Amino acid sequence: MDSDTQVKDYELKNKKSYKERVVNLIGSLKNDKDFTLFLIVGLFTGIASGINSTVFNNFLSDVYKLSASARGVVEFPRELPGALIMIVLGLLAFLGDVRASMIGMLFASLGMIGLGLFSPTFSAMLIWMMILSLGTHIFMPLSASIGMSLSERDSYGARLGKFNAYNLMATILGYLIVWLGFKYLGLTYRVVFIIAAISYIFALIFLGLMTPKKPKVKKIKFVFRRKYTLYYVLSVVNGARKQIFLTFAPWVLIQVYHVDPPTFAILGFIVSGLSILTRTIVGNAIDIKGERFVLSLEAIVLIVICIGYAFAADVFPAAIAVIIIAACYILDNSMSVVEMARSTYIKKIALCPEDVTPTLSAGTSFDHLIAMTIPFFGGILWATMGYKYVFIAAAIIAFMNLFLTLRIKVD
């Protein structure tokens, strides 16, 4: 090869390399812009979530006077949209993750408006609750998928950790609205639900400002692969344990210890202060230590929390027992960030990128299929034997979760 040819080849390679660098830079800047918008979405969904999680159980208790068994029954319609989310996201697949998330925010805002303004009866409340649940469950797997699509493989955990930290900081504002509103400003359930609805509308708007990626799969796609079996099983077991905590942990504080919305807001402040740090730490731990380490540690902590819920009242006076149970409630809610480890696990073992969203949605569906039924039996167990046995059952499930997480392997 003569020198002129070598020079031309060198210039061609440099030109190609330069074009690649420019394309990569543009893609990186676009990703950063979209990720910034996505962080803002996390802020608005955090405000709405903070309000809803703080007042919803008190709303059910104060307005509809539910018993523990009736509270368990309510979880069936509330979690039904989550069980069907695999089908729902399959139908919305042609829109892509961002546009489908906008649909989710629309439903969530409508559900909140309905709870605030159009729930004079228990049956009407159930309908609006299901619409809200559909919206939030649409966004649940898509938020992880969108966050990871705007990240590199070695920063999945850190990026999701950052999104979750922003989301959590905004929940503090939601808690503050409830605390100030109920304690000093005379706000009602109706008003705070409308504030949450407005927050979901703003989340919808900022999702609309993001650059939607055209989905490679424009037809309905359901993914069931043997390689993802452990993820599916983990989703089921996690759904069972999580739903016991979501349903009955606040119900113990409300029904047994008469905790009101402002007090739940204070607990929320403590949870947020603890979790702002843990969300970033957990995200980095996923990248450094891996999913098996993080999920195994979570399972061990959850076993301890279950024991605290179950036996605090037997060992300590009521004044101390309520503090221990409240501490368990705080730790339990602080551990919710670990959910992203299951998302990064499936992202790393996926055979192709197009498998991620449908597999996450399948996991969400399996999670909620069991979550629909567990509260019903938990309510019966509470009514017949006492709430202690509900959390003993949760401890057994947490042991199963530990056994399964130890089987995780990532190439």
Side-chain angles (χ1 to χ4, degrees):
M1 182 181 294
D2 58 41
S3 59
D4 289 342
T5 303
Q6 289 178 334
V7 169
K8 287 179 180 179
D9 285 346
Y10 177 77
E11 289 176 348
L12 185 62
K13 287 179 182 178
N14 272 354
K15 187 177 181 180
K16 185 177 179 182
S17 176
Y18 175 75
K19 285 182 177 179
E20 287 177 349
R21 288 199 299 270
V22 170
V23 169
N24 289 338
L25 178 61
I26 293 172
S28 175
L29 292 174
K30 186 180 290 186
N31 274 354
D32 286 343
K33 172 243 183 185
D34 283 341
F35 189 69
T36 299
L37 291 170
F38 192 52
L39 291 178
I40 298 172
V41 171
L43 291 175
F44 283 109
T45 56
I47 292 170
S49 176
I51 292 172
N52 185 45
S53 64
T54 305
V55 304
F56 186 69
N57 281 287
N58 288 95
F59 171 67
L60 294 179
S61 180
D62 293 344
V63 177
Y64 302 104
K65 312 299 181 185
L66 301 186
S67 65
S69 57
R71 177 65 185 88
V73 171
V74 166
E75 287 304 290
F76 185 91
R78 193 170 83 91
E79 297 298 346
L80 180 60
L84 300 175
I85 202 63
M86 178 176 60
I87 297 172
V88 173
L89 290 181
L91 293 171
L92 296 177
F94 72 97
L95 292 172
D97 290 349
V98 172
R99 290 198 176 106
S101 294
M102 292 173 68
I103 299 294
M105 293 299 97
L106 176 62
F107 278 116
S109 61
L110 290 174
M112 278 296 187
I113 291 171
L115 286 175
L117 300 179
F118 307 112
S119 298
T121 64
F122 181 70
S123 57
M125 182 277 296
L126 290 178
I127 293 171
W128 292 112
M129 179 189 69
M130 291 178 68
I131 293 173
L132 167 64
S133 179
L134 175 61
T136 56
H137 281 100
I138 286 174
F139 187 63
M140 192 180 297
L142 292 181
S143 62
S145 182
I146 292 170
M148 290 186 290
S149 73
L150 300 173
S151 314
E152 299 298 330
R153 177 185 171 90
D154 59 356
S155 64
Y156 290 156
R159 283 277 207 172
L160 288 184
K162 187 172 183 179
F163 172 80
N164 281 307
Y166 271 65
N167 182 262
L168 183 61
M169 283 189 290
T171 64
I172 296 175
L173 181 54
Y175 298 144
L176 184 62
I177 290 169
V178 172
W179 182 70
L180 287 175
F182 278 83
K183 197 169 183 67
Y184 298 108
L185 303 178
L187 295 188
T188 63
Y189 291 117
R190 172 178 294 185
V191 174
V192 293
F193 284 151
I194 296 304
I195 294 172
I198 293 170
S199 295
Y200 280 130
I201 291 170
F202 274 108
L204 187 158
I205 292 170
F206 279 94
L207 280 167
L209 296 175
M210 294 176 63
T211 305
K213 294 184 179 180
K214 293 183 179 180
K216 294 182 180 180
V217 179
K218 296 188 178 181
K219 61 181 181 179
I220 297 174
K221 182 179 181 182
F222 304 110
V223 174
F224 300 100
R225 302 190 194 279
R226 181 177 296 180
K227 185 174 183 180
Y228 309 152
T229 300
L230 180 58
Y231 171 73
Y232 299 141
V233 177
L234 282 169
S235 296
V236 170
V237 174
N238 180 65
R241 190 275 315 158
K242 178 180 68 177
Q243 203 60 36
I244 290 175
F245 284 6
L246 285 175
T247 306
F248 296 109
W251 209 247
V252 171
L253 292 169
I254 292 168
Q255 293 290 308
V256 179
Y257 297 101
H258 311 293
V259 173
D260 58 9
T263 305
F264 270 109
I266 292 172
L267 293 178
F269 289 139
I270 299 171
V271 169
S272 299
L274 184 62
S275 298
I276 286 172
L277 292 175
T278 59
R279 293 197 175 205
T280 303
I281 291 170
V282 169
N284 290 330
I286 291 170
D287 294 333
I288 297 169
K289 290 287 190 177
E291 288 77 6
R292 183 171 68 174
F293 173 84
V294 171
L295 291 171
S296 299
L297 185 60
E298 177 210 30
I300 293 169
V301 173
L302 290 174
I303 292 168
V304 175
I305 291 172
C306 290
I307 293 170
Y309 276 127
F311 297 106
D314 291 341
V315 178
F316 300 99
I320 297 176
V322 67
I323 295 173
I324 293 172
I325 292 175
C328 290
Y329 176 86
I330 291 167
L331 286 174
D332 169 24
N333 282 275
S334 301
M335 298 298 293
S336 63
V337 62
V338 181
E339 180 65 34
M340 65 182 172
R342 278 174 277 273
S343 299
T344 59
Y345 166 59
I346 201 63
K347 178 74 173 178
K348 289 177 181 177
I349 68 168
L351 296 177
C352 61
E354 291 74 32
D355 277 4
V356 175
T357 295
T359 305
L360 289 173
S361 63
T364 301
S365 289
F366 295 149
D367 174 321
H368 288 79
L369 278 171
I370 193 70
M372 289 165 54
T373 55
I374 283 289
F376 173 76
F377 293 109
I380 294 174
L381 192 60
W382 180 321
T384 56
M385 301 181 67
Y387 72 83
K388 176 203 300 186
Y389 293 93
V390 174
F391 292 102
I392 291 174
I396 294 170
I397 296 171
F399 271 111
M400 293 172 58
N401 193 30
L402 176 59
F403 173 77
L404 290 166
T405 55
L406 292 173
R407 297 171 61 87
I408 288 176
K409 293 180 181 179
V410 177
D411 295 334

